[in-house]
Amino acid sequence: VFEERRALLGKWFDEWTDGQRRRILVDLLERCSLAQQKFCAKQLQDRVPTEALDFTTKLPRVLSLYIFSFLDPRSLCRCAQVSWYWKYLSELDQLWMLKCLRFGWYINFSPTPFEQGIWKKHYIEMVKELHITRPKTPSKAEFVVLDVQPVRSNDPEPKLPAAGGRTEERKALPPWRASDRHPTDTIRFNYLDNLHPIQQARQGRKKGGGETPDLSQQAAERKKRVGRGSKKLQKAKSLASIT
């Protein structure tokens, strides 16, 4: 029976006009209990998305003031025209006191807790005074332009290059490089990267144009013999001088 009457009520609801449907819905909501009305409200929130929401009614007042603190004075005055609650928030001294102190505008008295909007009024009065006292432009006689002369340096003027010629730019060498472009006294710490002594001597001869030193064992023995002979000669000379 319930299903039959429910289907019959649906057919009647489809045939009614918009005004008749609203009257039926109001009558049904008045007959519903509080729990049933909350159930209807929840169903409506799930089906109908919120198009616009006032964040000042949902957020704490501290967060709302923090958001308003990023606005300039002109925007705060426009926010005061939205609603009475926005007017109350946008005229609080916590917002306007910082804007006044930024320019060094102080008040000569301490406002009571019942006085609100003192700093906003003070800001508006100071801005009006700024508009009244306009800057004074000096007369034409005060604009004295001194004779400007170019600064001359003691350095000689660089010579201009000839037409079609190339300028030779000499760059200073770093301190760790000598003037020789092909040094022969480069010693590497890695033994594998160094050449054999005989090959290194040959390359030095090719670059420098000198004679290749003899690094064989015979040459070493010759040097030793010459050294021994010179020592014997020095010893004989010293004995002769003693006698």
Side-chain angles (χ1 to χ4, degrees):
V1 176
F2 173 74
E3 294 296 335
E4 290 179 0
R5 292 181 179 178
R6 180 185 175 187
L8 181 61
L9 182 61
K11 291 180 181 179
W12 290 348
F13 193 82
D14 293 339
E15 293 179 0
W16 289 334
T17 60
D18 185 58
Q20 292 174 350
R21 291 179 181 181
R22 291 183 182 182
R23 288 175 61 184
I24 293 297
L25 290 174
V26 171
D27 294 339
L28 291 176
L29 289 175
E30 289 179 354
R31 294 183 181 183
C32 293
S33 61
L34 182 61
Q36 294 171 355
Q37 291 177 1
K38 288 182 179 179
F39 175 76
C40 294
K42 186 177 180 181
Q43 292 293 328
L44 289 174
Q45 287 179 1
D46 295 341
R47 295 190 179 187
V48 181
T50 55
E51 297 179 356
L53 181 65
D54 188 3
F55 66 92
T56 57
T57 58
K58 299 297 182 180
L59 296 178
R61 193 178 72 170
V62 178
L63 295 179
S64 300
L65 290 176
Y66 180 71
I67 295 173
F68 281 141
S69 64
F70 292 98
L71 299 178
D72 55 322
R74 187 183 297 273
S75 300
L76 282 175
C77 294
R78 290 176 179 175
C79 290
Q81 301 175 0
V82 175
S83 62
W84 287 103
Y85 188 65
W86 280 47
K87 177 179 173 61
Y88 164 72
L89 290 177
S90 60
E91 290 184 354
L92 289 176
D93 293 337
Q94 289 88 338
L95 298 175
W96 291 93
M97 182 175 65
L98 299 176
K99 299 184 182 302
C100 291
L101 297 180
R102 186 179 299 174
F103 296 103
W105 298 339
Y106 302 94
I107 56 177
N108 300 327
F109 63 94
S110 57
T112 61
F114 300 100
E115 295 177 348
Q116 293 294 333
I118 300 298
W119 286 96
K120 181 181 179 181
K121 295 178 182 178
H122 183 63
Y123 186 91
I124 294 173
E125 291 177 359
M126 296 301 295
V127 171
K128 287 181 179 179
E129 291 182 2
L130 290 177
H131 285 297
I132 293 173
T133 56
R134 296 178 180 178
K136 298 180 180 179
T137 56
S139 59
K140 295 182 179 179
E142 297 181 6
F143 286 104
V144 179
V145 180
L146 301 176
D147 296 335
V148 180
Q149 297 180 358
V151 179
R152 297 180 180 178
S153 59
N154 297 327
D155 300 334
E157 296 181 357
K159 296 181 179 180
L160 297 175
R166 296 182 179 179
T167 57
E168 297 181 357
E169 297 181 356
R170 294 184 179 179
K171 297 182 179 179
L173 294 174
W176 59 84
R177 288 189 59 184
S179 59
D180 189 6
R181 295 185 178 181
H182 305 286
T184 58
D185 57 347
T186 56
I187 300 175
R188 300 179 182 272
F189 293 100
N190 190 0
Y191 178 75
L192 299 176
D193 294 339
N194 296 328
L195 298 174
H196 195 268
I198 297 176
Q199 295 179 358
Q200 189 174 4
R202 289 176 179 174
Q203 287 185 1
R205 182 188 177 187
K206 291 179 181 179
K207 293 180 180 179
E211 297 180 356
T212 56
D214 193 358
L215 300 176
S216 61
Q217 293 183 358
Q218 296 177 0
E221 291 178 357
R222 292 174 187 173
K223 289 183 180 180
K224 289 182 180 179
R225 291 173 185 175
V226 173
R228 290 173 185 174
S230 61
K231 288 181 180 179
K232 290 180 181 179
L233 183 60
Q234 290 178 0
K235 187 175 181 180
K237 287 182 179 180
S238 60
L239 291 174
S241 62
I242 292 171
T243 55

